[in-house]
Amino acid sequence: MTAADHSATPADRRSVSLVTLGCARNEVDSEELAARLEGAGWTLDESGDASVVLVNTCGFIDAAKKDSIDTLLAASDSGAKVVAAGCLAERYGSELAESLPEADAVLSFDDYSSIGDRLDDVLAGRGHRSHAPQDRRKLLPLSPAERTGAHVHVPGHGSAPDLPEGIAPASGPRVLRRRLGGGPAAPLKLASGCDRRCTFCAIPAFRGAYVSRRPHEVLDEARWLAGQGVREIILVSENSTSYGKDLGDLRLLETMLPELAAVEGIERVRVSYLQPAELRPGLIEAIAATPGVAPYFDLSFQHSSGPLLRRMRRFGDTERFLGLLEQARALAPEAGVRSNFIVGFPGETEEDVEELAGFLTAARLDAIGVFGYSDEEGTEAAGFDGKLDAEEVAARVADLSVLAEELTAQRAEERLGSTVEVLVEEPGEGRAAHQAPEIDGIVTLKGDAPVGAFVSARVVESMGVDLLAVVDER
């Protein structure tokens, strides 16, 4: 940076601070945005003195929306220009811009390919016309044949063309990602969008139709991440079990997992966001039995009452879900399993709650998230009868959360005496194969454990879902 840059006021400098909210998919989007911005001559500045604050928002549930709004308002107090992007901005567009004048611009996914130009407009005070929200499920993606030539940009090679407008957002970097966080683990996006029509979920409307990245794109990015010091990649999407269906091969994930595990420098591959109704035997085997792939099942059960799941437009029941877990554990007895559950869905009876409690008790899950149902605009369930009052929903959430805490602590106790392979992420701390970043607990280590290394350790104590383990010095 030149002396002139240092003397300039924040409003004169093309510097941007990126704030990311929500899931790991948003983390990847932010890293792609960061790379595009640097390519357009913008400087990433986390000193608190950036001229623009770009907030990659989350719009999934009420709490996430509130967090996004609060973050935008807090950013406006800094004196910088404030720009909203991400799911909340896509979902509400002009409505958000009108109700939140503190934001200098509200951007759509379609603005990502020209993000540098959009921020230039904001910095120069040129008005930005926010998009009218649209149902992206009606914007058809390209056919597999039309996407045959797409490829990731790697150093020394030309960049692939951007996907056209209407795919939300363009999956995979057309320029290199720019890692915003350090550490030996990183998410890698398999796909964007979702074709399922769960009655409680608005995500398909603003994320669009399911679009798989081509396998060589994913593999190229895995190699690039390995070159950045990453040792574990976490495959993310709205529904990883759908990967490849729009490319004409629903078994692509099974065939790609061994290739990802074989990438030099990558020692563990983790698959997240699995849909139980689509979890075929071949994929169970690939996750449970492929060397270098974590035997870890992030299963979106949502409930276990068959009739209630049908009302959610989902499939399965207690017996079928326990059967899935039995298949996985037959191949990998120590497999990790996590899931989330919605409580208080319209029409949920006390018998449904008892059914779910029984399933949780039998399932021996490593991590459980319990969430209370709330209406989401534009979803089918928002118009359902049989709504429960907020107090009853909160009571059911509280009861099942207590049960979940007890059960996951018991599951952690079952690992006492076992040996776990731990990726050391901070001094004296890391994660075993059954633990995904930030959500599934940690392993505290005794012994020599360099950051970035994988170490074998014997579990000697459990503390809730967390473990204490002694490093094998051999």
Side-chain angles (χ1 to χ4, degrees), residues 179-214:
R179 291 204 72 197
L180 297 175
L188 197 169
K189 188 162 51 177
L190 277 176
S192 284
C194 184
D195 289 338
R196 300 193 69 86
R197 296 295 179 266
C198 303
T199 58
F200 56 82
C201 184
I203 287 176
F206 58 85
R207 275 283 180 179
Y210 195 89
V211 181
S212 301
R213 296 178 66 190
R214 299 199 64 85

Side-chain angles (χ1 to χ4, degrees), residues 96 148 168 232 267 309 329 366 388 397 417 431 467:
L96 178 63
T148 299
E232 176 180 330
E267 298 186 49
L309 284 166
R329 289 170 173 152
D366 293 273
L388 303 177
V397 169
R431 293 179 297 102
L467 303 176

Side-chain angles (χ1 to χ4, degrees), residues 343-344 350 388-397:
V343 179
E350 291 185 3
L388 303 177
D389 62 53
E391 292 77 10
E392 177 62 24
V393 173
R396 294 183 182 188
V397 169

Side-chain angles (χ1 to χ4, degrees), residues 92 203 337-338:
Y92 294 102
I203 287 176
V337 186
R338 73 158 286 112

Side-chain angles (χ1 to χ4, degrees), residues 151-160 173-177 217 220 224:
H151 65 279
V152 71
H153 173 82
V154 294
H157 298 73
S159 62
R174 304 301 167 245
V175 292
L176 281 175
R177 282 169 62 174
E217 261 192 56
D220 280 346
W224 181 80

Side-chain angles (χ1 to χ4, degrees), residues 142-288:
L142 293 174
S143 69
E146 290 173 301
R147 285 187 282 126
T148 299
H151 65 279
V152 71
H153 173 82
V154 294
H157 298 73
S159 62
D162 287 324
L163 294 176
E165 293 184 1
I167 295 180
S171 294
R174 304 301 167 245
V175 292
L176 281 175
R177 282 169 62 174
R178 201 275 201 185
R179 291 204 72 197
L180 297 175
L188 197 169
K189 188 162 51 177
L190 277 176
S192 284
C194 184
D195 289 338
R196 300 193 69 86
R197 296 295 179 266
C198 303
T199 58
F200 56 82
C201 184
I203 287 176
F206 58 85
R207 275 283 180 179
Y210 195 89
V211 181
S212 301
R213 296 178 66 190
R214 299 199 64 85
H216 62 81
E217 261 192 56
V218 178
L219 288 162
D220 280 346
E221 188 169 333
R223 296 183 187 103
W224 181 80
L225 288 169
Q228 301 293 306
V230 171
R231 295 295 169 258
E232 176 180 330
I233 55 175
I234 300 99
L235 302 178
V236 299
S237 69
E238 275 72 26
N239 175 10
S240 296
T241 36
S242 283
Y243 179 73
K245 70 175 187 179
D246 55 320
L247 300 177
D249 186 354
L250 193 54
R251 296 173 296 177
L252 268 184
L253 186 54
E254 289 99 302
T255 58
M256 189 170 62
L257 282 174
E259 296 181 73
L260 285 167
V263 169
E264 185 175 356
I266 298 298
E267 298 186 49
R268 187 156 71 197
V269 178
R270 185 182 304 276
V271 185
S272 59
Y273 305 107
L274 298 168
Q275 167 60 243
E278 299 178 26
L279 190 57
R280 50 207 174 270
L283 184 54
I284 293 175
E285 182 175 0
I287 294 172

